[in-house]
Coordinates of all heavy atoms in Angstrom, one line a residue:
T230 N 4.2 19.5 8.3 CA 4.1 19.5 6.9 C 5.4 19.2 6.2 O 5.4 18.4 5.2 CB 3.6 20.9 6.4 OG1 2.3 21.2 7.1 CG2 3.4 21.0 4.9
A231 N 6.5 19.8 6.7 CA 7.8 19.5 6.1 C 8.2 18.1 6.2 O 8.7 17.4 5.3 CB 8.9 20.4 6.7
L232 N 7.8 17.5 7.4 CA 8.1 16.1 7.6 C 7.3 15.2 6.7 O 7.8 14.2 6.1 CB 7.9 15.7 9.1 CG 8.2 14.2 9.5 CD1 9.6 13.9 9.2 CD2 7.8 14.0 10.9
D233 N 6.0 15.5 6.5 CA 5.2 14.8 5.6 C 5.8 14.8 4.1 O 5.8 13.8 3.4 CB 3.8 15.3 5.6 CG 3.0 14.9 6.8 OD1 3.5 14.0 7.5 OD2 1.9 15.4 7.1
E234 N 6.2 16.0 3.7 CA 6.8 16.2 2.4 C 8.1 15.4 2.3 O 8.3 14.7 1.2 CB 7.0 17.6 2.1 CG 5.7 18.5 2.0 CD 6.0 19.9 1.8 OE1 7.2 20.3 1.9 OE2 5.0 20.7 1.6
M235 N 8.9 15.4 3.3 CA 10.1 14.7 3.3 C 9.8 13.2 3.2 O 10.5 12.4 2.5 CB 10.9 15.0 4.6 CG 12.3 14.3 4.6 SD 13.1 14.4 6.2 CE 12.0 13.3 7.2
L236 N 8.8 12.7 4.0 CA 8.5 11.3 4.0 C 8.0 10.9 2.6 O 8.3 9.8 2.1 CB 7.4 11.0 5.0 CG 7.9 11.1 6.5 CD1 6.8 11.0 7.5 CD2 9.0 10.1 6.8
D237 N 7.2 11.8 2.0 CA 6.7 11.4 0.6 C 7.9 11.3 -0.3 O 7.9 10.4 -1.2 CB 5.8 12.5 0.1 CG 4.4 12.5 0.9 OD1 4.1 11.5 1.5 OD2 3.8 13.6 0.9
D238 N 8.9 12.2 -0.2 CA 10.0 12.2 -1.1 C 10.9 10.9 -0.8 O 11.3 10.2 -1.7 CB 10.9 13.4 -0.9 CG 10.2 14.7 -1.4 OD1 9.3 14.5 -2.2 OD2 10.6 15.8 -0.9
V239 N 11.0 10.6 0.5 CA 11.8 9.4 0.9 C 11.2 8.1 0.3 O 11.8 7.3 -0.2 CB 12.0 9.3 2.4 CG1 12.6 8.0 2.8 CG2 12.9 10.5 2.8
V240 N 9.8 8.0 0.6 CA 9.1 6.9 0.1 C 9.2 6.8 -1.4 O 9.4 5.7 -2.0 CB 7.7 6.9 0.6 CG1 6.9 5.7 0.0 CG2 7.7 6.7 2.2
G241 N 9.0 8.0 -2.1 CA 9.0 8.0 -3.5 C 10.4 7.6 -4.0 O 10.5 6.8 -5.0
A242 N 11.5 8.1 -3.3 CA 12.8 7.7 -3.7 C 13.1 6.2 -3.5 O 13.7 5.5 -4.3 CB 13.8 8.5 -2.9
E243 N 12.5 5.7 -2.4 CA 12.7 4.3 -2.1 C 12.0 3.4 -3.2 O 12.5 2.4 -3.7 CB 12.1 3.9 -0.8 CG 12.2 2.5 -0.4 CD 11.6 2.2 1.0 OE1 10.9 3.0 1.5 OE2 11.8 1.1 1.5
V244 N 10.8 3.8 -3.6 CA 10.1 3.1 -4.6 C 10.8 3.2 -6.0 O 11.0 2.2 -6.7 CB 8.6 3.7 -4.8 CG1 7.9 3.1 -6.0 CG2 7.8 3.4 -3.5
A245 N 11.3 4.4 -6.3 CA 12.1 4.6 -7.5 C 13.3 3.8 -7.5 O 13.7 3.2 -8.5 CB 12.4 6.1 -7.7
A246 N 14.0 3.7 -6.3 CA 15.2 3.0 -6.2 C 15.0 1.5 -6.4 O 15.7 0.8 -7.1 CB 15.9 3.2 -4.9
R247 N 13.9 1.0 -5.8 CA 13.5 -0.4 -6.0 C 13.2 -0.7 -7.5 O 13.6 -1.7 -8.0 CB 12.4 -0.8 -5.1 CG 12.7 -0.8 -3.6 CD 11.5 -1.2 -2.8 NE 11.9 -1.3 -1.4 CZ 11.0 -1.5 -0.4 NH1 9.7 -1.6 -0.7 NH2 11.4 -1.5 0.9
A248 N 12.4 0.2 -8.1 CA 12.1 0.0 -9.5 C 13.3 0.1 -10.4 O 13.5 -0.7 -11.3 CB 11.1 1.1 -9.9
A249 N 14.3 1.0 -10.0 CA 15.5 1.1 -10.8 C 16.3 -0.2 -10.7 O 16.9 -0.7 -11.6 CB 16.3 2.3 -10.4
E250 N 16.3 -0.7 -9.4 CA 17.1 -1.9 -9.2 C 16.4 -3.1 -10.0 O 17.2 -3.9 -10.6 CB 17.1 -2.3 -7.7 CG 17.9 -3.5 -7.3 CD 17.9 -3.8 -5.9 OE1 17.2 -3.0 -5.1 OE2 18.5 -4.8 -5.4
E251 N 15.1 -3.1 -10.0 CA 14.5 -4.2 -10.8 C 14.7 -4.0 -12.3 O 15.0 -5.0 -13.0 CB 12.9 -4.2 -10.5 CG 12.5 -4.6 -9.1 CD 12.9 -6.0 -8.8 OE1 12.9 -6.8 -9.7 OE2 13.2 -6.3 -7.6
R252 N 14.7 -2.8 -12.7 CA 15.0 -2.6 -14.2 C 16.4 -2.9 -14.5 O 16.8 -3.5 -15.5 CB 14.7 -1.1 -14.5 CG 13.2 -0.8 -14.6 CD 13.0 0.5 -15.3 NE 13.6 1.6 -14.7 CZ 13.1 2.4 -13.8 NH1 11.9 2.2 -13.3 NH2 13.8 3.4 -13.3
L253 N 17.4 -2.6 -13.5 CA 18.8 -2.9 -13.8 C 18.9 -4.5 -13.8 O 19.7 -5.0 -14.7 CB 19.6 -2.3 -12.7 CG 21.1 -2.6 -12.7 CD1 21.7 -2.1 -14.0 CD2 21.8 -2.0 -11.5
R254 N 18.3 -5.1 -12.9 CA 18.4 -6.6 -12.9 C 17.8 -7.2 -14.2 O 18.4 -8.1 -14.8 CB 17.7 -7.2 -11.7 CG 18.4 -6.9 -10.4 CD 17.6 -7.5 -9.2 NE 18.2 -7.3 -7.9 CZ 17.7 -7.6 -6.8 NH1 16.5 -8.1 -6.7 NH2 18.4 -7.3 -5.7
A255 N 16.7 -6.6 -14.6 CA 16.1 -7.1 -15.9 C 17.0 -6.8 -17.0 O 17.1 -7.6 -18.0 CB 14.7 -6.5 -16.0
F256 N 17.6 -5.6 -17.0 CA 18.5 -5.2 -18.1 C 19.7 -6.1 -18.2 O 20.1 -6.6 -19.3 CB 18.9 -3.8 -17.9 CG 20.0 -3.3 -18.8 CD1 19.8 -3.1 -20.2 CD2 21.3 -3.1 -18.4 CE1 20.8 -2.7 -21.0 CE2 22.3 -2.7 -19.2 CZ 22.1 -2.5 -20.6
L257 N 20.3 -6.4 -17.0 CA 21.4 -7.3 -17.0 C 21.0 -8.7 -17.5 O 21.8 -9.4 -18.2 CB 22.1 -7.4 -15.6 CG 22.7 -6.1 -15.1 CD1 23.2 -6.3 -13.7 CD2 23.8 -5.7 -16.0
S258 N 19.9 -9.2 -17.0 CA 19.4 -10.5 -17.5 C 19.1 -10.5 -19.0 O 19.6 -11.5 -19.7 CB 18.1 -10.8 -16.7 OG 17.6 -12.1 -17.1
D259 N 18.5 -9.5 -19.5 CA 18.2 -9.4 -20.9 C 19.5 -9.3 -21.7 O 19.7 -9.9 -22.8 CB 17.3 -8.2 -21.2 CG 15.9 -8.4 -20.7 OD1 15.6 -9.6 -20.4 OD2 15.2 -7.4 -20.5
A260 N 20.4 -8.5 -21.2 CA 21.7 -8.3 -21.9 C 22.5 -9.7 -21.9 O 23.1 -10.0 -23.0 CB 22.6 -7.2 -21.3
A261 N 22.5 -10.4 -20.8 CA 23.2 -11.7 -20.8 C 22.5 -12.6 -21.7 O 23.2 -13.4 -22.4 CB 23.1 -12.2 -19.3
R262 N 21.2 -12.6 -21.8 CA 20.4 -13.5 -22.7 C 20.7 -13.2 -24.1 O 20.9 -14.1 -25.0 CB 18.9 -13.4 -22.4 CG 18.1 -14.4 -23.2 CD 16.7 -14.5 -22.7 NE 16.0 -13.2 -22.9 CZ 15.7 -12.4 -21.9 NH1 16.0 -12.8 -20.6 NH2 15.1 -11.3 -22.1
E263 N 20.8 -11.8 -24.4 CA 21.1 -11.4 -25.8 C 22.5 -11.8 -26.2 O 22.7 -12.3 -27.3 CB 20.9 -9.9 -25.9 CG 19.5 -9.4 -25.8 CD 18.6 -9.8 -27.0 OE1 19.2 -10.1 -28.1 OE2 17.4 -9.8 -26.9
L264 N 23.4 -11.7 -25.3 CA 24.8 -12.1 -25.6 C 25.0 -13.6 -25.6 O 25.9 -14.1 -26.3 CB 25.7 -11.5 -24.6 CG 26.0 -10.0 -24.8 CD1 26.9 -9.5 -23.6 CD2 26.8 -9.8 -26.1
R265 N 24.2 -14.3 -24.8 CA 24.3 -15.8 -24.8 C 24.1 -16.4 -26.1 O 24.8 -17.4 -26.5 CB 23.4 -16.3 -23.7 CG 23.6 -17.8 -23.5 CD 22.8 -18.2 -22.3 NE 21.4 -17.9 -22.5 CZ 20.4 -17.9 -21.5 NH1 20.8 -18.4 -20.3 NH2 19.2 -17.6 -21.7
T266 N 23.1 -15.9 -26.8 CA 22.8 -16.6 -28.1 C 23.9 -16.5 -29.1 O 24.3 -17.5 -29.6 CB 21.5 -15.9 -28.7 OG1 20.4 -16.1 -27.8 CG2 21.1 -16.6 -30.0
P267 N 24.5 -15.3 -29.4 CA 25.6 -15.3 -30.4 C 26.8 -16.0 -29.8 O 27.6 -16.7 -30.6 CB 25.8 -13.8 -30.7 CG 25.2 -13.1 -29.5 CD 24.1 -13.9 -29.0
V268 N 27.1 -15.9 -28.5 CA 28.3 -16.5 -28.0 C 28.1 -18.0 -28.1 O 29.1 -18.7 -28.4 CB 28.5 -16.0 -26.5 CG1 29.5 -16.9 -25.8 CG2 28.9 -14.6 -26.5
A269 N 26.9 -18.5 -27.8 CA 26.7 -20.0 -27.9 C 26.9 -20.4 -29.3 O 27.5 -21.5 -29.6 CB 25.3 -20.3 -27.4
G270 N 26.4 -19.7 -30.3 CA 26.6 -20.0 -31.7 C 28.0 -20.0 -32.1 O 28.5 -20.9 -32.8
I271 N 28.7 -19.0 -31.6 CA 30.2 -18.9 -32.0 C 30.9 -20.1 -31.4 O 31.8 -20.7 -32.0 CB 30.8 -17.6 -31.5 CG1 30.1 -16.4 -32.3 CG2 32.3 -17.6 -31.6 CD1 30.5 -15.1 -31.7
R272 N 30.6 -20.4 -30.1 CA 31.3 -21.5 -29.4 C 31.0 -22.8 -30.1 O 31.9 -23.6 -30.3 CB 30.8 -21.5 -28.0 CG 31.5 -22.6 -27.1 CD 31.0 -22.6 -25.7 NE 31.6 -23.6 -24.9 CZ 31.4 -23.8 -23.6 NH1 30.5 -23.0 -23.0 NH2 32.0 -24.8 -23.0
A273 N 29.7 -23.1 -30.5 CA 29.4 -24.3 -31.1 C 30.1 -24.5 -32.5 O 30.7 -25.5 -32.8 CB 27.9 -24.4 -31.3
A274 N 30.0 -23.4 -33.3 CA 30.7 -23.4 -34.6 C 32.2 -23.6 -34.4 O 32.8 -24.4 -35.2 CB 30.4 -22.2 -35.4
A275 N 32.8 -22.8 -33.5 CA 34.2 -23.0 -33.3 C 34.6 -24.3 -32.8 O 35.7 -24.9 -33.3 CB 34.7 -21.9 -32.3
D276 N 33.8 -24.9 -31.9 CA 34.1 -26.3 -31.4 C 34.1 -27.3 -32.6 O 34.9 -28.2 -32.7 CB 33.1 -26.6 -30.3 CG 33.5 -28.0 -29.7 OD1 34.5 -28.0 -29.0 OD2 32.7 -28.9 -29.8

Side-chain angles (χ1 to χ4, degrees):
T230 301
L232 182 61
D233 284 347
E234 294 174 352
M235 182 192 69
L236 293 175
D237 291 338
D238 293 340
V239 169
V240 172
E243 181 181 12
V244 173
R247 289 179 179 175
E250 183 179 1
E251 292 297 327
R252 290 196 299 270
L253 178 60
R254 290 177 179 175
F256 171 71
L257 294 177
S258 176
D259 292 340
R262 185 171 62 251
E263 292 288 341
L264 283 172
R265 183 173 56 190
T266 300
V268 169
I271 294 172
R272 181 178 180 180
D276 186 67

